[in-house]
């Protein structure tokens, strides 16, 4: 039975990124508790949530279909001074996050999981990307949050939009990971499953 590709996310940004690979796919939003455990490291948290998302989609699909799929899931956390930062959710939290970033380096850890429903095997990869913020004024921060409303974005900005105006420089292997889906790693994991975006007929 031919496998299909499932993106385990409701994020329009991840969907836009996956479209670039020119592979047909479906979207399925996983529902999990994303509350960090006590003393859980950023690396452990992002890996746990990424893998849990994949298996949540797996369980949901088993209730409605017998077809086998390759499930793609991802999660991201921001890290400042070894402290994990999630999505701000409110205007006040977004302003607070960006104020704490001013003049500092913030690391973004993006987990990626590719789960094969047929045999329940999965591959995991972690992408790390660093953003160096310039010195920001309070007025700049408030204006930015009002314009782009990045309330559901880890780090309180959208690097694919006006968020780049906040940066001094960026550093990492795959800028797509900052948006939420490490495409370079994903292409590698797909090739290991026999799916090549350049030549695949999935």
């Amino acid at each position: 039975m031919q496998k299909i590709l499932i993106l385990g996310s409701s994020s329009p940004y991840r969907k836009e990124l996956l479209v670039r690979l020119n592979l047909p796919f479906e979207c399925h939003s996983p529902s999990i508790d994303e509350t960090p455990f006590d003393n859980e490291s950023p690396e452990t948290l992002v890996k746990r949530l990424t893998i849990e998302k994949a298996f949540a989609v797996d369980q949901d699909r088993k209730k409605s279909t017998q077809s086998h799929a390759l499930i793609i899931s991802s999660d991201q956390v921001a890290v400042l001074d070894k402290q994990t930062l999630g999505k701000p959710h409110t205007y006040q939290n977004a302003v607070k996050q960006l104020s704490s970033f001013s003049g500092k380096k913030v690391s973004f850890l993006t987990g990626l999981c590719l789960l094969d429903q047929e045999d329940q095997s999965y591959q995991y990869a972690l992408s790390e990307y660093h953003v160096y913020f310039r010195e920001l004024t309070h007025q700049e921060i408030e204006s930015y949050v009002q314009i782009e409303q990045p309330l559901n974005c880890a780090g309180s900005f959208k690097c694919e939009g006006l968020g780049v105006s906040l940066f001094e420089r960026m550093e990492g292997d795959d800028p797509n990971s900052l948006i939420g889906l490490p495409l370079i790693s994903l292409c590698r994991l797909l090739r290991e499953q026999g799916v090549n975006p350049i030549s695949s007929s999935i």
Side-chain angles (χ1 to χ4, degrees):
M1 184 179 295
Q2 187 179 36
K3 291 185 176 68
I4 61 174
L5 219 55
I6 303 291
L7 175 61
S9 176
S10 59
S11 165
Y13 311 111
R14 290 191 176 108
K15 182 177 179 180
E16 289 175 8
L17 286 172
L18 188 53
V19 165
R20 296 184 191 178
L21 300 188
N22 199 34
L23 293 169
F25 67 92
E26 302 172 13
C27 291
H28 187 110
S29 180
S31 178
I32 65 168
D33 183 357
E34 300 188 28
T35 305
F37 294 154
D38 290 343
N39 301 316
E40 189 171 25
S41 71
E43 293 83 1
T44 302
L45 172 64
V46 75
K47 181 175 183 178
R48 177 174 63 83
L49 295 183
T50 299
I51 295 172
E52 283 186 7
K53 286 180 178 181
F55 278 96
V57 174
D58 171 60
Q59 291 302 311
D60 286 346
R61 279 182 50 79
K62 284 179 178 177
K63 298 173 185 176
S64 60
T65 180
Q66 297 299 314
S67 62
H68 295 142
L70 292 174
I71 299 171
I72 301 165
S73 64
S74 185
D75 194 78
Q76 183 182 76
V77 298
V79 182
L80 174 65
D81 298 329
K82 298 183 180 180
Q83 296 297 312
T84 303
L85 305 169
K87 300 173 183 177
H89 298 300
T90 68
Y91 173 88
Q92 292 77 11
N93 286 341
V95 170
K96 183 178 179 180
Q97 271 196 359
L98 289 175
S99 297
S100 70
F101 293 170
S102 180
K104 296 182 180 179
K105 180 183 83 169
V106 181
S107 298
F108 289 82
L109 305 180
T110 306
L112 174 69
C113 180
L114 185 65
L115 168 65
D116 188 336
Q117 275 198 293
E118 185 172 10
D119 62 9
Q120 296 291 285
S121 64
Y122 69 87
Q123 302 159 278
Y124 176 77
L126 178 68
S127 179
E128 189 168 354
Y129 209 84
H130 308 288
V131 175
Y132 295 79
F133 285 79
R134 61 183 180 82
E135 297 285 347
L136 303 170
T137 67
H138 190 70
Q139 182 179 358
E140 283 179 318
I141 292 170
E142 288 194 326
S143 295
Y144 171 72
V145 175
Q146 288 173 356
I147 292 170
E148 286 211 313
Q149 297 287 313
L151 307 185
N152 291 315
C153 302
S156 303
F157 67 86
K158 299 178 182 179
C159 69
E160 69 277 16
L162 191 58
V164 293
S165 67
L166 308 174
F167 307 158
E168 186 174 280
R169 64 188 177 93
M170 299 188 298
E171 181 180 271
D173 294 330
D174 187 350
N176 300 297
S177 67
L178 194 57
I179 303 174
L181 191 63
L183 291 183
I184 293 175
S185 294
L186 178 57
C187 286
R188 174 175 57 80
L189 298 187
L190 287 171
R191 286 195 301 270
E192 291 176 6
Q193 288 289 330
V195 180
N196 190 327
I198 296 176
S199 58
S200 179
S201 59
I202 189 173

